[in-house]
Amino acid sequence: MPLHLGDFTEGQTFESPGRTITEADIVGFAAITGDWNPVHTNAEFARATPIGERIAHGPMAIGMMFGLLSRLDLFDGSVLALKSIEWTFDAPMRIGDTVRVIATVAAVTPHPSTAERGRVTMDAQFLNQHDVPVSNGRFTVVIKA
């Protein structure tokens, strides 16, 4: 059962299960977005880069973050819209990395003119299996009260 506006409190923290990045994830994301940058999809090209191997697309982390949070049944059925997102990328996501999200409620804001909805803002860290942050950011959703 999804959470609603009144179920969230500032400082509340949620941790998702882990998920391993696969080659299929990268190829699928490239196909959906049309982003076939060789740093993601060409092993020989990527081997010659400073990272030395193919890496996942940065925006893929954002989508995976929401997917992993949905596994906690936080938002499915209660979120009405994604209002904003601000994201930074700290380290590459490599094929074989297992990532998870730790999200902390930064603000819970009732709507000024209707009691039917409000906003929840969360700070989120996307961590790999070594607890190294690969990306992090803040997002706000519009959610049912």
Side-chain angles (χ1 to χ4, degrees), residues 20-111:
T20 301
I21 305 296
T22 67
E23 181 173 7
D25 295 328
I26 293 170
V27 172
F29 191 84
I32 289 169
T33 63
D35 180 352
W36 293 96
N37 185 316
V39 76
H40 308 302
T41 60
N42 181 318
E44 292 306 312
F45 176 91
R47 195 175 341 275
T49 68
I51 296 170
E53 62 186 304
R54 289 173 295 159
I55 57 172
H57 302 71
M60 189 172 87
I62 297 169
M64 287 183 147
M65 182 263 306
F66 283 112
L68 286 168
L69 289 177
S70 77
R71 290 183 60 194
L72 299 175
D73 205 20
L74 298 180
F75 301 130
D76 288 3
S78 62
V79 164
L80 302 170
L82 175 62
K83 183 68 176 164
S84 66
I85 189 162
E86 182 179 326
W87 210 255
T88 61
F89 302 95
D90 306 308
M93 283 194 315
R94 304 166 192 273
I95 295 170
D97 279 352
T98 298
V99 293
R100 72 184 194 292
V101 180
I102 298 176
T104 303
V105 177
V108 179
T109 311
H111 193 278

